Amino acid sequence: MPDLRDILRVRPDTRLAEIDPRGTPGLPGGKTVGKDPKRWSKTEVAAISQELAGYQERMFASAKEGATDKRVLLLLQAMDCGGKDGTVRNVTQGMSPAGMTAVSFGPPSEEERRHDFLWRVRRALPAPGYVGIFNRSQYEDVLIVRVHDLVGEDVWSQRYDAINEFEAEQAAGGLTMVKVMLHISKGEQKQRLLDRLDDPAKNWKYNPGDLTERARWDDYQQAYQDALTRCSTAAAPWHVVPADRKWYRNWAVATLLRETFADLDPRYPAPDFDVDAERAKLLAAG
Ligand code: ATP
Ligand code: MG
């Protein structure tokens, strides 16, 4: 089984427009998945999430003893309705919330606007031992900001290099980033927006502003194309996950995390006390 990270990694010649949002790259063969891929995925993702929980605990434990500066960040970007929230819910289902920090990035506050665009991002990074989730990220500053000319081209065009430098510096400091773009089609977005209007329980997820962004679909795809190829580095590569099929999306993101953790291979730290002596003391004390 080839590494899914290799299959989905963004390379200099990757063309977003040529990636099928309904595709299922790297999926195990027909017999493994069987006739009901949704059911298969549900079981598989639950099992992978349990594995992730084990890795998470070992990483957390080793950081507690100061033995590691390792931390993992799942960074998600997508068009509206791309499934960021659903993905997080599914892949983290087995993990401990106490070892996790999840942050969403909306329009910057007044205070945030007074600082460099990476200021709020630095503050939100996971501490050693933690798993971080970014729902949107520093990439908004070369996506919505570029599409809507919120700053001049002279400013946003410098940000790709600034992001690469920032990410390389963080990687050297023990941060492993799993950067994922959930890639949906324009038709799928329409269907999901309609669902949010049709179902009263989903109305709250609908934002009239989403239509303004949808109208700029092609500009966003171009902005994504550039962000993905310019910022897919050895230190922090990008991955495109076809996301029209939720069951594939969940499996793919869970698998990317599992492969990443397997490489990191976090271990429980050796105790810094004498286990036998402590046991003897405890038993003697009655
Ligand atoms: P979701 O991420 O699921 O759409 P939401 O709609 O609840 O969540 P909001 O609080 O509305 O979240 O924030 C998301 C919006 O903020 C997006 O339209 C995004 O493009 C915008 N945004 C994020 N970062 C920036 C930024 N640096 N500058 C301007 N807008 C930004
Ligand atoms: Mg939104």
Side-chain angles (χ1 to χ4, degrees):
M1 196 40 207
D3 197 291
L4 192 64
R5 288 174 298 177
D6 277 339
I7 296 173
L8 300 180
R9 177 170 301 138
V10 173
R11 298 182 165 76
D13 63 349
T14 297
R15 293 290 160 260
L16 187 57
E18 288 166 13
I19 300 175
D20 180 3
R22 294 189 66 75
T24 58
L27 197 70
K31 270 220 182 96
T32 310
V33 174
K35 287 203 180 74
D36 188 349
K38 286 184 188 169
R39 204 170 133 188
W40 168 82
S41 170
K42 203 170 172 194
T43 311
E44 190 70 10
V45 170
I48 297 172
S49 190
Q50 286 306 318
E51 246 182 279
L52 295 177
Y55 285 125
Q56 180 199 24
E57 181 175 281
R58 292 194 287 281
M59 189 172 73
F60 191 81
S62 58
K64 199 173 169 218
E65 296 296 328
T68 187
D69 58 3
K70 283 180 191 170
R71 45 239 155 88
V72 171
L73 175 67
L74 172 64
L75 182 157
L76 293 171
Q77 283 289 156
M79 296 296 287
D80 288 310
C81 303
K84 299 188 276 48
D85 291 323
T87 302
V88 172
R89 212 169 32 246
N90 277 280
V91 304
T92 67
Q93 60 182 281
M95 292 194 197
S96 164
M100 212 158 67
T101 49
V103 183
S104 299
F105 292 97
S109 67
E110 219 171 280
E111 187 188 17
E112 288 168 347
R113 274 201 301 272
R114 283 199 294 273
H115 294 85
D116 175 76
F117 77 104
L118 292 172
W119 182 74
R120 65 175 183 166
V121 179
R122 284 182 195 279
R123 289 160 53 98
L125 291 170
Y130 283 77
V131 173
I133 309 279
F134 275 9
N135 187 324
R136 303 185 187 272
S137 66
Q138 60 270 27
Y139 287 94
E140 292 293 325
D141 285 278
V142 288
L143 293 166
I144 188 169
V145 168
R146 165 176 158 167
V147 168
H148 288 288
D149 300 312
L150 300 181
V151 299
E153 180 168 357
D154 55 323
V155 176
W156 62 252
S157 64
Q158 305 291 321
R159 288 182 171 169
Y160 302 97
D161 288 344
I163 289 173
N164 287 342
E165 208 174 298
F166 165 71
E167 293 182 356
E169 169 201 310
Q170 292 305 324
L175 180 72
T176 301
M177 274 162 277
V178 181
K179 301 193 295 189
V180 175
M181 187 234 179
L182 302 176
H183 181 42
I184 56 163
S185 63
K186 199 175 178 187
E188 181 68 21
Q189 188 195 52
K190 187 172 198 171
Q191 192 51 53
R192 293 185 189 180
L193 285 168
L194 276 174
D195 290 346
R196 290 179 179 189
L197 291 170
D198 292 344
D199 181 350
K202 288 186 181 170
N203 285 171
W204 66 276
K205 293 192 199 178
Y206 186 85
N207 177 349
D210 291 352
L211 292 189
T212 320
E213 305 313 315
R214 178 174 165 78
R216 305 294 300 273
W217 185 273
D218 293 345
D219 295 330
Y220 269 107
Q221 297 297 304
Q222 187 56 53
Y224 266 108
Q225 169 69 36
D226 289 347
L228 292 169
T229 48
R230 292 191 62 177
C231 298
S232 189
T233 59
W238 265 111
H239 304 87
V240 174
V241 168
D244 274 9
R245 298 177 199 267
K246 295 176 183 174
W247 62 265
Y248 171 79
R249 171 201 81 192
N250 292 340
W251 172 80
V253 177
T255 300
L256 291 173
L257 283 171
R258 177 174 61 182
E259 292 173 350
T260 302
F261 268 116
D263 276 0
L264 286 173
D265 192 21
R267 304 281 175 95
Y268 287 115
D272 60 356
F273 50 85
D274 184 333
V275 175
D276 291 335
E278 290 300 312
R279 185 183 296 107
K281 268 197 279 181
L282 173 64
L283 294 174

